[in-house]
Amino acid sequence: MPVVFQNIERADPKLLGDLGAAGVATVHEAMGRRGLMASTMRPIQRDFAIAGSAVTISAAPGDNWMIHVAIEQLKEGDIMVLSPTAPCDMGYFGDLLATSAMARGCRALIIDAGVRDTRELREMGFGVWSTAVSAQGTVKETLGSVNVPIVCAGAQVNAGDVIVADDDGVCVVPRGDAADVMVKAKARLEAEELRRARLASGELGLDIYDMRPRLADKGLKYV
Amino acid sequence: MPVVFQNIERADPKLLGDLGAAGVATVHEAMGRRGLMASTMRPIQRDFAIAGSAVTISAAPGDNWMIHVAIEQLKEGDIMVLSPTAPCDMGYFGDLLATSAMARGCRALIIDAGVRDTRELREMGFGVWSTAVSAQGTVKETLGSVNVPIVCAGAQVNAGDVIVADDDGVCVVPRGDAADVMVKAKARLEAEELRRARLASGELGLDIYDMRPRLADKGLKYV
Amino acid sequence: MPVVFQNIERADPKLLGDLGAAGVATVHEAMGRRGLMASTMRPIQRDFAIAGSAVTISAAPGDNWMIHVAIEQLKEGDIMVLSPTAPCDMGYFGDLLATSAMARGCRALIIDAGVRDTRELREMGFGVWSTAVSAQGTVKETLGSVNVPIVCAGAQVNAGDVIVADDDGVCVVPRGDAADVMVKAKARLEAEELRRARLASGELGLDIYDMRPRLADKGLKYV
Amino acid sequence: MPVVFQNIERADPKLLGDLGAAGVATVHEAMGRRGLMASTMRPIQRDFAIAGSAVTISAAPGDNWMIHVAIEQLKEGDIMVLSPTAPCDMGYFGDLLATSAMARGCRALIIDAGVRDTRELREMGFGVWSTAVSAQGTVKETLGSVNVPIVCAGAQVNAGDVIVADDDGVCVVPRGDAADVMVKAKARLEAEELRRARLASGELGLDIYDMRPRLADKGLKYV
Amino acid sequence: MPVVFQNIERADPKLLGDLGAAGVATVHEAMGRRGLMASTMRPIQRDFAIAGSAVTISAAPGDNWMIHVAIEQLKEGDIMVLSPTAPCDMGYFGDLLATSAMARGCRALIIDAGVRDTRELREMGFGVWSTAVSAQGTVKETLGSVNVPIVCAGAQVNAGDVIVADDDGVCVVPRGDAADVMVKAKARLEAEELRRARLASGELGLDIYDMRPRLADKGLKYV
Amino acid sequence: MPVVFQNIERADPKLLGDLGAAGVATVHEAMGRRGLMASTMRPIQRDFAIAGSAVTISAAPGDNWMIHVAIEQLKEGDIMVLSPTAPCDMGYFGDLLATSAMARGCRALIIDAGVRDTRELREMGFGVWSTAVSAQGTVKETLGSVNVPIVCAGAQVNAGDVIVADDDGVCVVPRGDAADVMVKAKARLEAEELRRARLASGELGLDIYDMRPRLADKGLKYV
């Protein structure tokens, strides 16, 4: 069953750039509030936003062998997404693997497990979202798979899906939906810009969104 | 039952400033170690301290409608305090709502749930203490209440209570106790200043606080 | 049973400096992947690495009396390591105790509980790794022990053991093993340097470590 | 500040019996979905339901002294409700204290902390809802208070409030609301009986509650 | 986007019976260790094993409206599988809904959230695996979907997949794989029967599985 | 480094029987409140108490190979105690391994990880205390050690130490202290018997333990 799918389709780089700039909260809304990873998935750095194509890794708990295999599959703009087959907080990934991944054009890792060398990773500018930080080393004994569908931190990820990650977390956009999602995200951003100006001037959401009648209907009482 | 109390009493701005400068640890001690929120309530920023008057929000899980209602009630120096009626880590609050709140003079949010747009919130200088960060959006379907008594992260909060928040967490001072608490906090700060100097010079707490006889009485053995 | 062991042996300062510079991940590997504290033990600061000799503290939950006792035992280069006898997230330690500890040459605290005054501690340059941040104060009623063997965040610690701590967590090196561990750590660092250069040039781990035959043996299929 | 309020008002025993029989889920609904303790509050026994008047205990973490004080205040039909002033999983309570409490007519304990002697407690028929089971003993060093307002597992409890507890958890009914809540609970139970019969016969909630038009309005699509 | 798929394919009842009898641990092994839900998914009853066809429910947090919709889709032998779109521990399901589900031939619920009326559910013989028990009620305001693919407690579930649940947890078998998995499960059960007899007689796994040479090869030392 | 110590000393069977009958809470008190495992270590059965000699197992996460090795070392009355070298909730142990262990006279397992086949284990009368239940299978790839010192659920365990386990949890008694601890435990049990009678008759702990003067001294106020 362990298998490496080598030829995956990726989203257009321009689209990746736009989705990364839009950010997780906007993209998540634009795609109908689907695809968000659990809030336990946290960045090890601040003020870092990115989008890329998912190279997925299904790995045994405490075994990072498949990361070496996955790195060979990386192309410019890819993001590795690793999910262990059972909960594990060990440090699968550190600065050496990041060096190798960066040499192939990969700029980030999403991992439902631990990483180490976090200070070095930040200094290298390699983005990491993980559910743990741990210096605990892993073994290379059990095969897993690369570019198979995985569930990572509660979200379904297929190889080539667009990963959007920033300080708020990580969102997965199915590759086929990415262009459409970006259209909606752009509309949202524009609408937000208008609303931001009105809100900043002191106008209330209660009025902008015309909420008062519905609040009264539902029975809200002011005292 | 959903209700908005519109006229709440607030503490004196000078007192708020003093309590904010004293900080959570000192204020918490000064009020007899009551009123602290659970340690799961964490700031999304660093090196930020504030005190303000609580505008409380009781909201349904995953429903941020009442924040819009609460914003209309905000006055200069207020802090919103939101507790969902069941545990929830969704992102109730982001930069648009913060823009609106800041337009009314509010500078911070305390929320036993999630927030999003964390990078933008930090850039805006809007302080947030939350139990989660999540891009997950909420709905506007179910009424809640504003300025009713709530329990937030284990602490009882009434509208108009003084909220003190810094890197150590969040403390609630009943409005009527605030002046008295500040007197005691000031005394503590002065006493600490004296002790700090002695401790910095190498004098031991064992001697400053005369602990040795009681340690011996209780039976501590030195080997 | 409460006891303070006053004369403990410490590792050589040069060795401490070298182990601190090597870092937790490398040291942990060099000692055969033993001695790591749980990943719940997190720094309150960033980009801070240190090694020192453990002064251990076994304390009752919510009682920081023994820290005062321990401070008298501190020597230049020591690190305090505190474990409560039951899980506790209260704030055992703040800036006053840190002032006192620094006056005796101690630069860091490892605590399987909470600390407070975190902003001041960071400003003082006193390193802290803890499992919680809390302003909740403690009492001084129950004796504990100093420099007895303890289990802290899942790791066995004896007085005088070398504590290595950085952004990745905390590792404990038995004092007697420290020199040998440093030899191995140094070898690892040198080997890593070589590998880093090859990986940075785009060579793959699959080839550097000759993994392809074993992957094929185990049955990995490329599609 | 440590204080024992000795004369508290209690609800009518008949009312307690009725509320206990109605059960937590029904009572919680009947009072507008307020007053429920967190779902971390779990029974140590099965198939046990009870209601009683709260004797509240605010205790230091790891210190059960105040339970001895509280027992003197117990009357027939009371339930002790203990909240530590900081999170604590130690075993505050065991079979000896239960023997003493039962001698005064108390039949249950609600505790946001640990208990021990759980097998014996079950055999004695003394009901316990706790957030932990632990044999870890406590001290008797620090005063607390009895019959003051407390927050227990997220719920506000005043002395004399009605505690309803069963396999689903624990709910707090303000004493003054208890009679009114029971009227509503009874109405709910009767309405449920009717609905249960219809549902058991195969009729659908979609039809009984006339949900189809609103589902269609909101846009639910059947494929 | 909210949609109900009405015509789903189901596995053969005989196959369901066989998979239920084989149990979660065996089935999970037989399908190559895939499809297991997280260990936070726990039964509310003991000594209860079942297998059925999944009717999946994607619901808003704290909103059980879609359960009513799903019940209409139930057929004899189905199991409902509900995942909220954000973490939620509220009580989505109780004895009335169970009455309705049983009237349509459904015997169990798998829910990554809370349930209530647990005692009654046990008495009714309706099996429940949940991540929480809570009396907290839900609303009926937001649409979700029925029989769409969901991720439940970390496992991907499609409508009509076979759910196997017992005291060890819950496993998902893709409908198309079920017959093949059962063949392998049966072979495992037979092999285990033989091994159980040898092990019961005192023979060692070390010898039965011929582990000694490999242990020696890897360097295990006996002292 | 992987090693199996074959000749360990064990406590006297009579002493084991007595300690098991005394129970965890009493033994833990008798040994000065040391040696208790964390409250996350829970039994999979009810009303089961046991004491035995520890055969310790240090295992890689998700790898149960060493259990096979350990079983060969078991003698009548032994209890296996397994700690993984990193947190892991996988199912290391099931009914086949229990069959083998029972054939050698072992009656229980303490494991800081998961087990499976829980229903069968209960039916076999094999006692298990674990931190998880999971059907997730493990591999046999990485060596560990048997009968080396380990830290299990926060407690230090040496081979041959006495393990006492019941519904309240698990306590470790160093072999050399066991006889002395039992003397103290017996004294405690006798004293408790006397106190139980007095408490059952309605006498108060406040009077039996003469607490009133000290409560008054500390300033407890009765209102």
Side-chain angles (χ1 to χ4, degrees), chain A residues 82-169:
Chain A
L82 185 150
S83 182
T85 53
C88 183
D89 77 349
M90 297 170 77
Y92 279 74
F93 188 90
D95 64 347
L96 281 185
L97 284 168
T99 300
S100 184
M102 288 183 89
R104 300 190 75 83
C106 170
R107 285 290 306 284
L109 168 73
I110 313 294
I111 180 168
D112 192 356
V115 294
R116 55 187 188 178
D117 303 326
T118 48
R119 181 180 182 167
E120 291 77 7
L121 291 169
R122 280 191 292 265
E123 288 168 356
M124 293 165 71
F126 186 89
V128 175
W129 285 256
S130 72
T131 48
V133 170
S134 169
Q136 181 85 17
T138 52
V139 297
K140 289 164 185 53
E141 297 284 0
T142 304
L143 295 185
S145 292
V146 174
N147 285 332
V148 293
I150 60 173
V151 172
C152 183
Q156 173 78 29
V157 190
N158 291 307
D161 280 351
V162 179
I163 303 298
V164 185
D166 63 19
D167 289 29
D168 288 348

Side-chain angles (χ1 to χ4, degrees), chain E:
Chain E
M1 197 156 1
V3 62
V4 181
F5 288 98
Q6 298 190 92
N7 298 308
I8 64 170
E9 298 201 57
R10 291 164 167 90
D12 174 67
K14 167 73 169 61
L15 192 50
L16 295 178
D18 290 350
L19 286 163
V24 172
T26 296
V27 167
H28 173 59
E29 290 291 341
M31 67 185 288
R33 299 186 170 182
R34 293 170 296 120
L36 195 68
M37 291 193 186
S39 66
T40 48
M41 183 62 80
R42 301 299 303 143
I44 64 163
Q45 67 284 318
R46 277 212 172 149
D47 301 342
F48 192 110
I50 197 167
S53 297
V55 166
T56 63
I57 307 171
S58 174
D63 194 310
N64 75 348
W65 205 6
M66 284 303 112
I67 299 182
H68 287 277
V69 173
I71 285 174
E72 189 178 28
Q73 306 303 319
L74 292 172
K75 295 229 162 98
E76 183 72 30
D78 284 352
I79 293 180
M80 284 182 285
V81 184
L82 185 151
S83 183
T85 54
C88 184
D89 77 348
M90 296 169 79
Y92 279 73
F93 188 90
D95 63 346
L96 281 185
L97 284 167
T99 299
S100 183
M102 288 183 88
R104 300 189 76 83
C106 170
R107 287 288 308 283
L109 167 74
I110 313 294
I111 179 166
D112 192 356
V115 293
R116 55 187 187 178
D117 303 327
T118 48
R119 181 180 182 168
E120 291 77 7
L121 291 169
R122 280 191 292 266
E123 287 168 356
M124 292 164 71
F126 187 88
V128 174
W129 285 255
S130 72
T131 49
V133 170
S134 169
Q136 181 85 17
T138 52
V139 296
K140 289 166 187 49
E141 297 283 1
T142 304
L143 294 185
S145 292
V146 173
N147 285 332
V148 294
I150 59 173
V151 171
C152 182
Q156 173 78 30
V157 190
N158 292 305
D161 281 352
V162 179
I163 303 298
V164 185
D166 63 17
D167 289 28
D168 288 348
V170 181
C171 187
V172 186
V173 185
R175 192 176 53 83
D177 301 350
D180 179 50
V181 166
M182 191 57 224
V183 170
K184 289 180 183 146
K186 205 182 156 206
R188 274 190 84 82
L189 288 170
E190 288 165 357
E192 279 186 6
E193 232 25 73
L194 295 177
R195 270 185 249 136
R196 182 172 290 113
R198 291 174 70 181
L199 292 165
S201 76
E203 217 178 328
L204 288 168
L206 291 179
D207 298 312
I208 295 177
Y209 307 110
D210 194 23
M211 290 170 168
R212 295 187 196 273
R214 199 162 154 252
L215 287 169
D217 271 9
K218 290 247 181 177
L220 185 64
K221 209 170 80 182
Y222 282 83
V223 180

Side-chain angles (χ1 to χ4, degrees), chain F residues 159-178:
Chain F
D161 281 351
V162 178
I163 302 299
V164 185
D166 64 18
D167 289 27
D168 288 347
V170 180
C171 186
V172 186
V173 186
R175 194 177 51 82
D177 300 350

Side-chain angles (χ1 to χ4, degrees), chain F residues 143-161:
Chain F
L143 294 186
S145 292
V146 174
N147 285 332
V148 294
I150 59 173
V151 171
C152 182
Q156 172 79 29
V157 190
N158 291 305
D161 281 351

Side-chain angles (χ1 to χ4, degrees), chain D residues 60-144:
Chain D
D63 194 309
N64 75 346
W65 206 5
M66 283 304 111
I67 299 183
H68 287 278
V69 173
I71 285 175
E72 189 178 25
Q73 306 304 320
L74 292 171
K75 295 229 161 98
E76 184 70 31
D78 284 352
I79 292 180
M80 285 182 285
V81 184
L82 186 151
S83 182
T85 53
C88 183
D89 77 347
M90 297 169 76
Y92 279 73
F93 189 89
D95 63 347
L96 281 185
L97 283 168
T99 300
S100 183
M102 288 183 89
R104 301 188 74 82
C106 171
R107 286 289 307 283
L109 168 74
I110 312 296
I111 180 167
D112 192 356
V115 294
R116 56 187 186 178
D117 304 327
T118 47
R119 181 179 182 168
E120 291 78 6
L121 291 169
R122 279 191 291 266
E123 288 168 356
M124 293 164 70
F126 187 88
V128 175
W129 285 255
S130 72
T131 48
V133 169
S134 169
Q136 181 83 16
T138 52
V139 296
K140 288 164 187 52
E141 297 283 0
T142 303
L143 294 185

